């Protein structure tokens, strides 16, 4: 049984970022367990046509590893994967990764003050774990009656079947979220028919995406501070937009841009009415595209402003009773954001899982540590999501906190630490109170921000600067700590 100081679950941007920061702080005895066969996480898995970032590229990267070679303001999936792999390689991370290793159960052992982690490749132990699987990991496919009898091809956008040629096919697309907004325009010119099932209309803003020409790339590559300046500009713009998420009246002004784009690109009044949302911009994830609306106006596209009720043979039946024969069904229905699979695989010392503790409403202290789960961290955890900034910004704020915690533990000889229950509860009560007036809660929609209990377990209700300040100082008083050595076989 191999023992490590730190065990990291997942080799996406969170796990790689954690590994880099561990090495920068002199911690080398760690492993990353990755169930896939390559780095990249969600950017490795999502290879659907048109896949690209909806956050500006300079901001969607590690601050300690700026990329001066972006080809566009909003990079595509392949370019982001290359950046992730290059950055990981530069910092010597691949040597710490064990691929093809899926975590089945991680349990805290109170006697040994260690984690025991059972995987498909054997059992490991560690002094601490960092769960970096992320919320965009496991695809969500709705339970549609009759789907299992469909004779054609069925797949989720994050598991795109490139071996199945959609050219000339009749295709049903279920879902109109961030992925569908990108792949629908990419496949529309090639399919015979495209039936888009839209349960809820989305706000779609213009995407200010342009290719970076030779002179612009040369400036970013050669001028000292240029990429940092671009990053600062993009951060300021996104934070200005974030102000509207906390004051919804601002977003009602911004959504006029979305209305103007819809009016300019969709001339048919009936179709335009179907595509017009009835809630405030930002209540659901913010979407950007210059090609989505034009694709929906093409003669081979039919927008069904309703959900799918069932599938009978090769017929898709909408909740309005309309039936359409199709050859393939593609789900653009997102991920298990708040019911993350990792919740059923991580257990406390008494054998209760994270899911058992959370009961459908994930909670953590500062979105990072969880009462009852010693020596453990969750990256991109509950109550840290925003509608406007980069996941890298959230991640790096958390990693500052994680490394401070580990430094405290090493220097003070802690064998066990966990947040106090009352401190965690107070933090989450504060979050819920602040969320009440944000667009996430008061925007008039039902989104994935809300969990099965109707509670917003996803969003951070304040600015990114406040997040960085709050996570920028490890507050030792918020933790119960133990310095006594663990019980061993000889000491019993």
């Amino acid at each position: 049984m191999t023992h490590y100081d730190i065990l990291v679950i997942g080799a996406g941007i969170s796990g790689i970022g954690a590994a880099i920061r561990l090495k920068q702080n002199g911690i080398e005895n760690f492993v990353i367990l990755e169930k896939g066969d390559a780095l990249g996480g969600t950017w490795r898995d999502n290879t659907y046509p048109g896949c690209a970032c909806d956050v500006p590229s300079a901001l969607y990267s590690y601050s300690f590893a700026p990329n001066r070679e972006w080809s566009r303001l909003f990079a595509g999936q392949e370019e982001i994967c290359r950046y992730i792999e290059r950055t990981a390689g530069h910092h010597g991370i691949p040597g710490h990764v064990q691929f093809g290793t899926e975590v089945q159960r991680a349990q805290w052992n109170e006697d040994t003050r260690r984690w025991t982690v059972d995987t498909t490749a054997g059992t490991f132990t560690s002094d601490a774990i960092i769960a970096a699987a992320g919320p965009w990991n496991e695809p969500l496919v709705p339970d549609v009656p009759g789907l299992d009898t469909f004779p054609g091809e069925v797949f989720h956008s994050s598991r795109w079947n490139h071996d199945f040629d959609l050219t000339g096919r009749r295709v049903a697309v279920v879902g109109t979220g961030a992925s569908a907004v990108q792949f629908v325009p990419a496949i529309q010119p090639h399919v015979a028919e495209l039936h888009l099932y839209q349960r809820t209309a989305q706000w779609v803003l213009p995407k200010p995406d342009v290719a970076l020409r030779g002179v612009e790339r040369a400036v970013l590559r050669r001028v000292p501070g240029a990429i940092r300046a671009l990053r600062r500009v993009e951060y300021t713009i996104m934070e200005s937009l974030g102000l509207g998420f906390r004051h919804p009246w601002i977003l009602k002004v911004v959504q006029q841009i979305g209305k103007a784009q819809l009016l300019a690109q969709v001339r048919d009044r009936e179709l335009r009415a179907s595509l017009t949302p009835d809630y405030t911009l930002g209540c659901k994830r913010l979407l950007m595209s210059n090609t989505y609306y034009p694709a929906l106006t093409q003669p081979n596209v039919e927008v069904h402003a309703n959900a799918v009720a069932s599938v009978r043979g090769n017929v898709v039946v909408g909740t309005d009773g309309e039936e359409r024969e199709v050859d393939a069904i593609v789900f653009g229905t997102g991920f298990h954001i708040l019911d993350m699979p990792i919740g059923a695989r991580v257990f406390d010392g008494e054998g209760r899982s994270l899911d058992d503790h959370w009961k459908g409403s994930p909670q953590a202290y500062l979105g990072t540590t969880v009462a009852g789960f010693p020596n453990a961290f969750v990256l991109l955890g509950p109550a840290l999501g925003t509608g406007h900034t980069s996941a890298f910004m959230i991640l790096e704020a958390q990693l500052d906190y994680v490394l401070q915690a580990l430094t405290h533990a090493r220097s003070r000889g802690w064998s066990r630490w966990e947040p106090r229950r009352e401190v965690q509860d107070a933090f989450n009560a504060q979050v819920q109170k602040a969320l009440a007036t944000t667009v996430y809660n008061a925007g008039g929609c039902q989104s994935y921000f809300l969990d099965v209990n109707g509670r917003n377990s996803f969003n951070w209700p304040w600015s990114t600067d406040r997040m960085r300040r709050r996570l920028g100082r490890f507050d030792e008083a918020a933790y119960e700590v133990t310095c006594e050595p663990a019980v061993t076989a000889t000491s019993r």
Side-chain angles (χ1 to χ4, degrees), residues 33-52:
L33 303 183
E34 168 54 51
K35 66 180 180 180
D37 58 1
L39 302 172
T42 190
W43 290 106
R44 173 201 63 214
D45 295 339
N46 284 269
T47 60
Y48 59 80
C51 183

Side-chain angles (χ1 to χ4, degrees), residues 430-489:
Q430 185 183 27
V431 168
Q432 291 304 310
K433 182 178 179 180
L435 280 171
T437 56
T438 65
V439 73
Y440 309 122
N441 283 29
C445 75
Q446 186 74 22
S447 73
Y448 70 65
F449 302 146
L450 306 181
D451 59 37
V452 293
N453 299 315
R455 174 190 176 102
N456 188 331
S457 298
F458 184 83
N459 290 114
W460 174 265
W462 303 291
S463 69
T464 309
D465 280 340
R466 180 165 174 172
M467 181 190 297
R468 293 163 70 182
R469 290 195 303 271
R470 193 76 186 268
L471 286 163
R473 181 183 62 83
F474 179 72
D475 43 350
E476 182 178 339
Y479 286 78
E480 295 178 355
V481 303
T482 302
C483 295
E484 292 84 2
V487 176
T488 63

Side-chain angles (χ1 to χ4, degrees), residues 382-456:
L384 286 182
T386 74
H388 66 281
T389 197
S390 165
F392 281 85
M393 305 298 294
I394 301 168
L395 170 64
E396 290 195 37
Q398 280 191 283
L399 291 179
D400 284 344
Y401 192 83
V402 170
L403 267 297
Q404 287 184 64
L406 292 174
T407 299
H408 272 71
R410 282 191 298 173
S411 63
R412 289 161 170 74
W414 296 349
S415 59
R416 183 189 191 283
W417 68 94
E418 66 170 288
R420 300 178 186 275
R421 175 74 62 181
E422 65 273 18
V423 172
Q424 177 175 298
D425 290 345
F427 165 74
N428 282 282
Q430 185 183 27
V431 168
Q432 291 304 310
K433 182 178 179 180
L435 280 171
T437 56
T438 65
V439 73
Y440 309 122
N441 283 29
C445 75
Q446 186 74 22
S447 73
Y448 70 65
F449 302 146
L450 306 181
D451 59 37
V452 293
N453 299 315
R455 174 190 176 102
N456 188 331

Side-chain angles (χ1 to χ4, degrees), residues 208-474:
D209 186 25
V210 295
L212 297 176
R213 296 166 297 182
V215 62
E216 294 157 339
R217 297 176 73 175
V219 168
L220 293 177
R221 190 182 302 120
R222 299 173 185 172
V223 177
I227 190 68
R228 289 194 300 273
L230 177 59
R231 184 181 174 92
R232 171 54 59 179
V233 168
E234 292 176 347
Y235 176 81
T236 301
I237 292 173
M238 301 301 279
E239 282 304 297
S240 298
L241 183 61
L243 184 65
F245 285 78
R246 301 188 295 278
H247 304 282
W249 68 267
I250 297 175
L251 290 179
K252 288 185 178 180
V253 176
V254 177
Q255 75 186 28
Q256 298 305 313
I257 299 174
K259 285 185 176 180
Q261 173 167 257
L262 180 58
L263 178 62
Q265 295 184 334
V266 181
R267 307 308 298 174
D268 181 274
R269 290 187 178 183
E270 186 175 345
L271 177 58
R272 191 165 65 243
S274 297
L275 297 172
T276 302
D278 60 359
Y279 54 87
T280 304
L281 174 77
C283 184
K284 287 179 174 286
R285 180 174 173 177
L286 186 63
L287 306 180
M288 293 185 292
S289 175
N290 304 321
T291 56
Y292 180 64
Y293 287 146
L296 301 187
T297 66
Q298 300 306 305
N300 65 334
V301 177
E302 183 177 4
V303 176
H304 304 268
N306 51 262
V308 172
S310 64
V311 174
R312 293 202 300 265
N314 68 337
V315 175
V316 174
V317 184
T319 53
D320 60 353
E322 291 287 326
E323 300 181 357
R324 296 293 183 272
E325 291 187 5
V326 298
D327 305 306
I329 301 175
V330 181
F331 286 96
T333 43
F335 300 86
H336 287 272
I337 300 293
L338 295 173
D339 56 338
M340 296 176 285
I342 195 70
R345 303 186 186 194
V346 177
F347 294 80
D348 65 13
E350 298 176 354
R352 294 191 303 157
S353 69
L354 277 170
D355 281 350
D356 292 334
H357 280 252
W358 287 340
K359 295 181 173 61
S361 294
Q363 293 188 53
Y365 177 54
L366 298 178
T368 307
T369 54
V370 183
F373 291 80
N375 304 19
F377 305 96
V378 180
L379 298 183
L380 301 182
L384 286 182
T386 74
H388 66 281
T389 197
S390 165
F392 281 85
M393 305 298 294
I394 301 168
L395 170 64
E396 290 195 37
Q398 280 191 283
L399 291 179
D400 284 344
Y401 192 83
V402 170
L403 267 297
Q404 287 184 64
L406 292 174
T407 299
H408 272 71
R410 282 191 298 173
S411 63
R412 289 161 170 74
W414 296 349
S415 59
R416 183 189 191 283
W417 68 94
E418 66 170 288
R420 300 178 186 275
R421 175 74 62 181
E422 65 273 18
V423 172
Q424 177 175 298
D425 290 345
F427 165 74
N428 282 282
Q430 185 183 27
V431 168
Q432 291 304 310
K433 182 178 179 180
L435 280 171
T437 56
T438 65
V439 73
Y440 309 122
N441 283 29
C445 75
Q446 186 74 22
S447 73
Y448 70 65
F449 302 146
L450 306 181
D451 59 37
V452 293
N453 299 315
R455 174 190 176 102
N456 188 331
S457 298
F458 184 83
N459 290 114
W460 174 265
W462 303 291
S463 69
T464 309
D465 280 340
R466 180 165 174 172
M467 181 190 297
R468 293 163 70 182
R469 290 195 303 271
R470 193 76 186 268
L471 286 163
R473 181 183 62 83
F474 179 72

Side-chain angles (χ1 to χ4, degrees), residues 74-320:
F74 292 80
Q77 176 262 341
E78 291 185 1
E79 192 170 4
I80 293 172
C81 272
R82 287 196 299 271
Y83 164 73
I84 294 171
E85 291 169 354
R86 185 170 64 249
T87 302
H90 177 75
H91 289 274
I93 303 305
H96 289 272
V97 183
Q98 184 161 322
F99 293 106
T101 304
E102 183 172 3
V103 171
Q104 298 171 317
R105 183 185 181 95
Q107 180 158 356
W108 172 253
N109 186 313
E110 195 62 53
D111 287 341
T112 62
R113 307 262 169 78
R114 288 179 171 180
W115 284 92
T116 300
V117 183
D118 297 322
T119 78
T120 53
T123 300
F124 303 82
T125 61
S126 65
D127 297 327
I129 62 170
I130 300 176
W136 298 281
N137 174 266
E138 190 69 23
L140 175 63
V141 177
D143 184 14
V144 179
L147 182 63
D148 57 343
T149 66
F150 181 68
E153 193 69 22
V154 179
F155 53 87
H156 188 276
S157 61
S158 66
R159 304 292 186 268
W160 197 273
N161 185 358
H162 293 278
D163 293 330
F164 183 78
D165 189 0
L166 293 176
T167 303
R169 309 277 189 166
R170 300 166 299 178
V171 180
V173 173
V174 182
T176 54
S179 299
V181 163
Q182 294 183 343
F183 74 72
V184 164
I187 68 172
Q188 175 273 318
H190 309 290
V191 302
E193 298 176 11
L194 194 156
H195 297 278
L196 180 67
Y197 288 87
Q198 170 195 272
R199 186 174 59 180
T200 306
Q202 302 276 5
W203 283 108
V204 182
L205 296 179
K207 189 172 186 177
D209 186 25
V210 295
L212 297 176
R213 296 166 297 182
V215 62
E216 294 157 339
R217 297 176 73 175
V219 168
L220 293 177
R221 190 182 302 120
R222 299 173 185 172
V223 177
I227 190 68
R228 289 194 300 273
L230 177 59
R231 184 181 174 92
R232 171 54 59 179
V233 168
E234 292 176 347
Y235 176 81
T236 301
I237 292 173
M238 301 301 279
E239 282 304 297
S240 298
L241 183 61
L243 184 65
F245 285 78
R246 301 188 295 278
H247 304 282
W249 68 267
I250 297 175
L251 290 179
K252 288 185 178 180
V253 176
V254 177
Q255 75 186 28
Q256 298 305 313
I257 299 174
K259 285 185 176 180
Q261 173 167 257
L262 180 58
L263 178 62
Q265 295 184 334
V266 181
R267 307 308 298 174
D268 181 274
R269 290 187 178 183
E270 186 175 345
L271 177 58
R272 191 165 65 243
S274 297
L275 297 172
T276 302
D278 60 359
Y279 54 87
T280 304
L281 174 77
C283 184
K284 287 179 174 286
R285 180 174 173 177
L286 186 63
L287 306 180
M288 293 185 292
S289 175
N290 304 321
T291 56
Y292 180 64
Y293 287 146
L296 301 187
T297 66
Q298 300 306 305
N300 65 334
V301 177
E302 183 177 4
V303 176
H304 304 268
N306 51 262
V308 172
S310 64
V311 174
R312 293 202 300 265
N314 68 337
V315 175
V316 174
V317 184
T319 53
D320 60 353

